[in-house]
mmCIF file of all heavy atoms in Angstrom:
data_model
loop_
_atom_site.group_PDB
_atom_site.id
_atom_site.type_symbol
_atom_site.label_atom_id
_atom_site.label_comp_id
_atom_site.label_asym_id
_atom_site.label_seq_id
_atom_site.Cartn_x
_atom_site.Cartn_y
_atom_site.Cartn_z
ATOM 1 N N LYS A 170 16.556 2.688 -4.583
ATOM 2 C CA LYS A 170 15.251 3.065 -4.029
ATOM 3 C C LYS A 170 14.748 4.375 -4.636
ATOM 4 O O LYS A 170 13.562 4.512 -4.963
ATOM 5 C CB LYS A 170 15.341 3.198 -2.507
ATOM 6 C CG LYS A 170 15.514 1.888 -1.772
ATOM 7 C CD LYS A 170 15.618 2.123 -0.271
ATOM 8 C CE LYS A 170 15.818 0.816 0.482
ATOM 9 N NZ LYS A 170 15.952 1.038 1.944
ATOM 10 N N ILE A 171 15.657 5.335 -4.795
ATOM 11 C CA ILE A 171 15.259 6.617 -5.398
ATOM 12 C C ILE A 171 14.854 6.417 -6.851
ATOM 13 O O ILE A 171 13.887 7.021 -7.334
ATOM 14 C CB ILE A 171 16.411 7.639 -5.277
ATOM 15 C CG1 ILE A 171 16.726 7.916 -3.819
ATOM 16 C CG2 ILE A 171 16.023 8.952 -5.970
ATOM 17 C CD1 ILE A 171 17.980 8.764 -3.619
ATOM 18 N N ALA A 172 15.585 5.548 -7.569
ATOM 19 C CA ALA A 172 15.254 5.280 -8.972
ATOM 20 C C ALA A 172 13.865 4.652 -9.097
ATOM 21 O O ALA A 172 13.082 5.032 -9.974
ATOM 22 C CB ALA A 172 16.310 4.363 -9.590
ATOM 23 N N PHE A 173 13.538 3.683 -8.212
ATOM 24 C CA PHE A 173 12.199 3.087 -8.246
ATOM 25 C C PHE A 173 11.130 4.126 -7.906
ATOM 26 O O PHE A 173 10.043 4.138 -8.497
ATOM 27 C CB PHE A 173 12.119 1.904 -7.278
ATOM 28 C CG PHE A 173 12.640 0.615 -7.857
ATOM 29 C CD1 PHE A 173 13.793 0.027 -7.365
ATOM 30 C CD2 PHE A 173 11.983 -0.007 -8.911
ATOM 31 C CE1 PHE A 173 14.281 -1.153 -7.907
ATOM 32 C CE2 PHE A 173 12.460 -1.187 -9.463
ATOM 33 C CZ PHE A 173 13.616 -1.764 -8.960
ATOM 34 N N GLY A 174 11.426 5.007 -6.954
ATOM 35 C CA GLY A 174 10.488 6.089 -6.648
ATOM 36 C C GLY A 174 10.302 7.024 -7.825
ATOM 37 O O GLY A 174 9.194 7.495 -8.097
ATOM 38 N N SER A 175 11.391 7.267 -8.560
ATOM 39 C CA SER A 175 11.320 8.137 -9.728
ATOM 40 C C SER A 175 10.440 7.536 -10.819
ATOM 41 O O SER A 175 9.614 8.235 -11.424
ATOM 42 C CB SER A 175 12.732 8.394 -10.269
ATOM 43 O OG SER A 175 12.686 9.141 -11.459
ATOM 44 N N ILE A 176 10.603 6.234 -11.084
ATOM 45 C CA ILE A 176 9.797 5.617 -12.138
ATOM 46 C C ILE A 176 8.334 5.554 -11.723
ATOM 47 O O ILE A 176 7.423 5.693 -12.554
ATOM 48 C CB ILE A 176 10.350 4.216 -12.514
ATOM 49 C CG1 ILE A 176 9.886 3.829 -13.928
ATOM 50 C CG2 ILE A 176 9.958 3.165 -11.527
ATOM 51 C CD1 ILE A 176 10.444 4.638 -15.024
ATOM 52 N N ARG A 177 8.064 5.376 -10.421
ATOM 53 C CA ARG A 177 6.669 5.435 -9.940
ATOM 54 C C ARG A 177 6.093 6.830 -10.142
ATOM 55 O O ARG A 177 4.935 6.981 -10.550
ATOM 56 C CB ARG A 177 6.596 5.042 -8.471
ATOM 57 C CG ARG A 177 6.744 3.556 -8.199
ATOM 58 C CD ARG A 177 6.263 3.203 -6.801
ATOM 59 N NE ARG A 177 6.984 3.936 -5.772
ATOM 60 C CZ ARG A 177 8.088 3.505 -5.192
ATOM 61 N NH1 ARG A 177 8.627 2.352 -5.550
ATOM 62 N NH2 ARG A 177 8.676 4.231 -4.256
ATOM 63 N N ASN A 178 6.894 7.857 -9.831
ATOM 64 C CA ASN A 178 6.443 9.232 -10.063
ATOM 65 C C ASN A 178 6.027 9.434 -11.516
ATOM 66 O O ASN A 178 4.959 10.000 -11.812
ATOM 67 C CB ASN A 178 7.564 10.220 -9.734
ATOM 68 C CG ASN A 178 7.759 10.424 -8.247
ATOM 69 O OD1 ASN A 178 6.876 10.108 -7.446
ATOM 70 N ND2 ASN A 178 8.913 10.932 -7.870
ATOM 71 N N LYS A 179 6.877 8.979 -12.427
ATOM 72 C CA LYS A 179 6.645 9.232 -13.851
ATOM 73 C C LYS A 179 5.448 8.446 -14.389
ATOM 74 O O LYS A 179 4.616 8.991 -15.133
ATOM 75 C CB LYS A 179 7.901 8.881 -14.655
ATOM 76 C CG LYS A 179 9.096 9.791 -14.411
ATOM 77 C CD LYS A 179 10.280 9.355 -15.251
ATOM 78 C CE LYS A 179 11.487 10.247 -15.055
ATOM 79 N NZ LYS A 179 12.173 10.025 -13.775
ATOM 80 N N LEU A 180 5.366 7.152 -14.024
ATOM 81 C CA LEU A 180 4.363 6.285 -14.645
ATOM 82 C C LEU A 180 2.986 6.392 -13.985
ATOM 83 O O LEU A 180 1.968 6.296 -14.680
ATOM 84 C CB LEU A 180 4.835 4.825 -14.599
ATOM 85 C CG LEU A 180 6.061 4.476 -15.449
ATOM 86 C CD1 LEU A 180 6.370 2.987 -15.342
ATOM 87 C CD2 LEU A 180 5.850 4.860 -16.916
ATOM 88 N N PHE A 181 2.929 6.567 -12.681
ATOM 89 C CA PHE A 181 1.653 6.464 -11.974
ATOM 90 C C PHE A 181 1.091 7.793 -11.484
ATOM 91 O O PHE A 181 -0.063 7.858 -11.070
ATOM 92 C CB PHE A 181 1.786 5.499 -10.786
ATOM 93 C CG PHE A 181 2.205 4.116 -11.191
ATOM 94 C CD1 PHE A 181 3.397 3.571 -10.747
ATOM 95 C CD2 PHE A 181 1.433 3.365 -12.059
ATOM 96 C CE1 PHE A 181 3.799 2.299 -11.138
ATOM 97 C CE2 PHE A 181 1.822 2.095 -12.463
ATOM 98 C CZ PHE A 181 3.011 1.563 -11.997
ATOM 99 N N ILE A 182 1.884 8.854 -11.522
ATOM 100 C CA ILE A 182 1.382 10.172 -11.111
ATOM 101 C C ILE A 182 1.409 11.136 -12.284
ATOM 102 O O ILE A 182 0.381 11.678 -12.700
ATOM 103 C CB ILE A 182 2.212 10.729 -9.932
ATOM 104 C CG1 ILE A 182 2.116 9.812 -8.716
ATOM 105 C CG2 ILE A 182 1.719 12.133 -9.569
ATOM 106 C CD1 ILE A 182 2.999 10.237 -7.551
ATOM 107 N N ILE A 183 2.614 11.337 -12.847
ATOM 108 C CA ILE A 183 2.772 12.375 -13.865
ATOM 109 C C ILE A 183 2.164 11.971 -15.195
ATOM 110 O O ILE A 183 1.452 12.765 -15.826
ATOM 111 C CB ILE A 183 4.273 12.709 -14.039
ATOM 112 C CG1 ILE A 183 4.859 13.177 -12.718
ATOM 113 C CG2 ILE A 183 4.462 13.764 -15.117
ATOM 114 C CD1 ILE A 183 6.378 13.211 -12.706
ATOM 115 N N LEU A 184 2.420 10.737 -15.637
ATOM 116 C CA LEU A 184 1.957 10.302 -16.956
ATOM 117 C C LEU A 184 0.438 10.353 -17.098
ATOM 118 O O LEU A 184 -0.071 10.933 -18.077
ATOM 119 C CB LEU A 184 2.486 8.905 -17.255
ATOM 120 C CG LEU A 184 2.142 8.308 -18.629
ATOM 121 C CD1 LEU A 184 2.642 9.201 -19.754
ATOM 122 C CD2 LEU A 184 2.734 6.908 -18.769
ATOM 123 N N PRO A 185 -0.354 9.793 -16.158
ATOM 124 C CA PRO A 185 -1.819 9.883 -16.317
ATOM 125 C C PRO A 185 -2.323 11.330 -16.341
ATOM 126 O O PRO A 185 -3.188 11.674 -17.153
ATOM 127 C CB PRO A 185 -2.351 9.130 -15.089
ATOM 128 C CG PRO A 185 -1.237 8.237 -14.665
ATOM 129 C CD PRO A 185 0.010 8.968 -14.988
ATOM 130 N N LEU A 186 -1.770 12.163 -15.450
ATOM 131 C CA LEU A 186 -2.208 13.561 -15.410
ATOM 132 C C LEU A 186 -1.836 14.295 -16.695
ATOM 133 O O LEU A 186 -2.643 15.055 -17.252
ATOM 134 C CB LEU A 186 -1.585 14.262 -14.206
ATOM 135 C CG LEU A 186 -2.086 13.823 -12.823
ATOM 136 C CD1 LEU A 186 -1.289 14.508 -11.721
ATOM 137 C CD2 LEU A 186 -3.574 14.137 -12.665
ATOM 138 N N ALA A 187 -0.622 14.060 -17.184
ATOM 139 C CA ALA A 187 -0.171 14.740 -18.401
ATOM 140 C C ALA A 187 -0.992 14.311 -19.613
ATOM 141 O O ALA A 187 -1.388 15.141 -20.443
ATOM 142 C CB ALA A 187 1.314 14.465 -18.634
ATOM 143 N N LEU A 188 -1.278 13.013 -19.730
ATOM 144 C CA LEU A 188 -2.064 12.520 -20.867
ATOM 145 C C LEU A 188 -3.498 13.037 -20.812
ATOM 146 O O LEU A 188 -4.070 13.414 -21.836
ATOM 147 C CB LEU A 188 -2.055 10.992 -20.877
ATOM 148 C CG LEU A 188 -0.753 10.341 -21.367
ATOM 149 C CD1 LEU A 188 -0.824 8.835 -21.194
ATOM 150 C CD2 LEU A 188 -0.481 10.690 -22.833
ATOM 151 N N ALA A 189 -4.088 13.035 -19.617
ATOM 152 C CA ALA A 189 -5.454 13.557 -19.481
ATOM 153 C C ALA A 189 -5.502 15.033 -19.857
ATOM 154 O O ALA A 189 -6.423 15.486 -20.553
ATOM 155 C CB ALA A 189 -5.942 13.345 -18.049
ATOM 156 N N LEU A 190 -4.498 15.761 -19.415
ATOM 157 C CA LEU A 190 -4.442 17.186 -19.730
ATOM 158 C C LEU A 190 -4.292 17.410 -21.231
ATOM 159 O O LEU A 190 -5.000 18.246 -21.825
ATOM 160 C CB LEU A 190 -3.263 17.814 -18.991
ATOM 161 C CG LEU A 190 -3.142 19.330 -19.056
ATOM 162 C CD1 LEU A 190 -4.295 19.990 -18.327
ATOM 163 C CD2 LEU A 190 -1.824 19.773 -18.446
ATOM 164 N N SER A 191 -3.389 16.664 -21.865
ATOM 165 C CA SER A 191 -3.170 16.848 -23.299
ATOM 166 C C SER A 191 -4.380 16.406 -24.116
ATOM 167 O O SER A 191 -4.589 16.903 -25.223
ATOM 168 C CB SER A 191 -1.937 16.070 -23.747
ATOM 169 O OG SER A 191 -2.157 14.674 -23.628
ATOM 170 N N GLN A 192 -5.171 15.486 -23.561
ATOM 171 C CA GLN A 192 -6.328 14.978 -24.297
ATOM 172 C C GLN A 192 -7.513 15.926 -24.223
ATOM 173 O O GLN A 192 -8.221 16.130 -25.201
ATOM 174 C CB GLN A 192 -6.730 13.602 -23.729
ATOM 175 C CG GLN A 192 -7.786 12.868 -24.534
ATOM 176 C CD GLN A 192 -7.271 12.380 -25.877
ATOM 177 O OE1 GLN A 192 -6.061 12.313 -26.103
ATOM 178 N NE2 GLN A 192 -8.171 12.072 -26.790
ATOM 179 N N TRP A 193 -7.747 16.512 -23.034
ATOM 180 C CA TRP A 193 -8.966 17.297 -22.842
ATOM 181 C C TRP A 193 -8.716 18.791 -22.615
ATOM 182 O O TRP A 193 -9.607 19.598 -22.851
ATOM 183 C CB TRP A 193 -9.755 16.735 -21.658
ATOM 184 C CG TRP A 193 -10.339 15.386 -21.975
ATOM 185 C CD1 TRP A 193 -11.316 15.106 -22.893
ATOM 186 C CD2 TRP A 193 -9.959 14.127 -21.420
ATOM 187 N NE1 TRP A 193 -11.575 13.761 -22.931
ATOM 188 C CE2 TRP A 193 -10.761 13.124 -22.035
ATOM 189 C CE3 TRP A 193 -9.044 13.729 -20.456
ATOM 190 C CZ2 TRP A 193 -10.662 11.782 -21.724
ATOM 191 C CZ3 TRP A 193 -8.937 12.388 -20.140
ATOM 192 C CH2 TRP A 193 -9.737 11.426 -20.768
ATOM 193 N N LEU A 194 -7.528 19.158 -22.151
ATOM 194 C CA LEU A 194 -7.240 20.579 -21.925
ATOM 195 C C LEU A 194 -5.860 20.922 -22.498
ATOM 196 O O LEU A 194 -4.963 21.380 -21.779
ATOM 197 C CB LEU A 194 -7.281 20.906 -20.434
ATOM 198 C CG LEU A 194 -8.640 20.813 -19.741
ATOM 199 C CD1 LEU A 194 -8.474 20.929 -18.235
ATOM 200 C CD2 LEU A 194 -9.577 21.905 -20.256
ATOM 201 N N PRO A 195 -5.660 20.714 -23.803
ATOM 202 C CA PRO A 195 -4.321 20.941 -24.375
ATOM 203 C C PRO A 195 -3.863 22.393 -24.309
ATOM 204 O O PRO A 195 -2.661 22.657 -24.298
ATOM 205 C CB PRO A 195 -4.483 20.478 -25.829
ATOM 206 C CG PRO A 195 -5.949 20.586 -26.114
ATOM 207 C CD PRO A 195 -6.635 20.281 -24.817
ATOM 208 N N ASP A 196 -4.813 23.338 -24.253
ATOM 209 C CA ASP A 196 -4.429 24.746 -24.203
ATOM 210 C C ASP A 196 -3.736 25.116 -22.900
ATOM 211 O O ASP A 196 -3.090 26.169 -22.806
ATOM 212 C CB ASP A 196 -5.656 25.638 -24.388
ATOM 213 C CG ASP A 196 -6.225 25.548 -25.803
ATOM 214 O OD1 ASP A 196 -5.477 25.107 -26.700
ATOM 215 O OD2 ASP A 196 -7.407 25.885 -26.000
ATOM 216 N N LEU A 197 -3.887 24.251 -21.875
ATOM 217 C CA LEU A 197 -3.238 24.536 -20.599
ATOM 218 C C LEU A 197 -1.763 24.118 -20.584
ATOM 219 O O LEU A 197 -1.018 24.535 -19.702
ATOM 220 C CB LEU A 197 -3.965 23.813 -19.455
ATOM 221 C CG LEU A 197 -5.224 24.484 -18.903
ATOM 222 C CD1 LEU A 197 -5.796 23.660 -17.774
ATOM 223 C CD2 LEU A 197 -4.922 25.900 -18.420
ATOM 224 N N LEU A 198 -1.366 23.303 -21.549
ATOM 225 C CA LEU A 198 0.019 22.818 -21.550
ATOM 226 C C LEU A 198 1.049 23.956 -21.589
ATOM 227 O O LEU A 198 2.013 23.931 -20.814
ATOM 228 C CB LEU A 198 0.243 21.868 -22.728
ATOM 229 C CG LEU A 198 -0.087 20.392 -22.488
ATOM 230 C CD1 LEU A 198 0.160 19.593 -23.754
ATOM 231 C CD2 LEU A 198 0.743 19.827 -21.342
#
Side-chain angles (χ1 to χ4, degrees):
K170 289 179 181 179
I171 298 172
F173 277 113
S175 175
I176 202 67
R177 285 197 302 270
N178 284 342
K179 292 180 179 75
L180 293 182
F181 301 118
I182 299 175
I183 301 166
L184 182 58
L186 291 175
L188 284 174
L190 187 66
S191 66
Q192 189 70 16
W193 291 294
L194 293 170
D196 291 341
L197 278 181
L198 273 179

